Amino acid sequence: MAKIVVIGSCNIDVTVECERWAKPGETIFGKGLTISPGGKGANQAVAAARLGAEVAMVGCVGDDVYGKLMLEALEKNNINTDYVKVLPGENSGTAHITVAENDNSIIVIKAANDLVSPALVDEAWETIAQADMVLLQHEIPAAVNTYVIEKCAAAGVPVLLNPAPVAPVPQELLDKVTYLTPNEHEAAVLFAGQGKADILGRNQGKVIMTLGSKGVAYAEKGQVYNVPGFKVQPVDTTGAGDTFNGAFAVARANGKSLYDSISFANAAAALSVQKLGAQSGMPYLQDVEEMLK
């Protein structure tokens, strides 16, 4: 069983559905309200756990009702929450999502996620050091990601960085990451002035570039490969990228080739978009294996 540690964000998504956008100063009635667990870190942890990995989550929540909901969701998916700190007097991270006119707008309140610290990483280090893969995203302080990457590189622990939401990362730090999973927009920010072929060619076996409906591209042994996605009718794309990252980490940690790991992740992501909700739509191992037959 692959051992995965996710260091990252735990949010509660508060989603309001409306017929149309409210104008400034206007009050309108909404159609529905959904409160569900989310956050890129927690989403990736759930995705990996459902696909058969032994998963530990490292992060922070507040001592509020949302923090309790988040912990319950993680524990329900058999995720080790020993290193999810409950911070007295703090609010849990939230994403406030308005869905209207076939689009959405999102306001994220980092709250407890902004208080993840190197000290918490040190506290969890014994578990992190034994991981087959450590997953990071950009929803906790950049200094913490830097600390994790450098510490894992020194200890020989593989790290997957999902650089979302996108923010510049020093090249010397990217060099220490085992896998980097940007989309095309994120890759353009991280590798300014370089085209897709250059980025992949200079980062062979490291950059796994997601291309939406065009699949996923990577380079290996001097050649660029494209792994096609699965054609499905999406119901809700929320969490698809997180599902991809969690699934890729599990497959790679279990010794699958890069191509097969990406195919596995593509199948998991395709299944996830066919149900509503980020975590609720994430598939289990048997579902993905069935799709790959």
Side-chain angles (χ1 to χ4, degrees), residues 187-195 198-199 202:
V189 173
L190 293 171
F191 302 99
Q194 296 182 45
D198 286 339
I199 294 168
R202 292 172 183 171

Side-chain angles (χ1 to χ4, degrees), residues 220-283:
E220 192 175 34
K221 296 175 184 173
Q223 188 170 339
V224 173
Y225 297 90
N226 190 275
V227 186
F230 291 80
K231 285 185 170 62
V232 294
Q233 190 62 46
V235 173
D236 182 4
T237 59
T238 310
D242 298 328
T243 302
F244 177 91
N245 279 276
F248 175 82
V250 171
R252 199 69 179 124
N254 279 323
K256 288 185 185 286
S257 69
L258 275 177
Y259 190 96
D260 288 345
S261 295
I262 295 167
S263 291
F264 182 85
N266 279 346
L271 286 164
S272 79
V273 304
Q274 294 178 68
K275 292 181 182 176
L276 283 170
Q279 293 181 13
S280 56
M282 289 175 172

Side-chain angles (χ1 to χ4, degrees), residues 181-203:
T181 57
N183 60 26
E184 288 178 278
H185 165 66
E186 291 156 357
V189 173
L190 293 171
F191 302 99
Q194 296 182 45
K196 185 176 86 170
D198 286 339
I199 294 168
L200 294 172
R202 292 172 183 171
N203 297 275

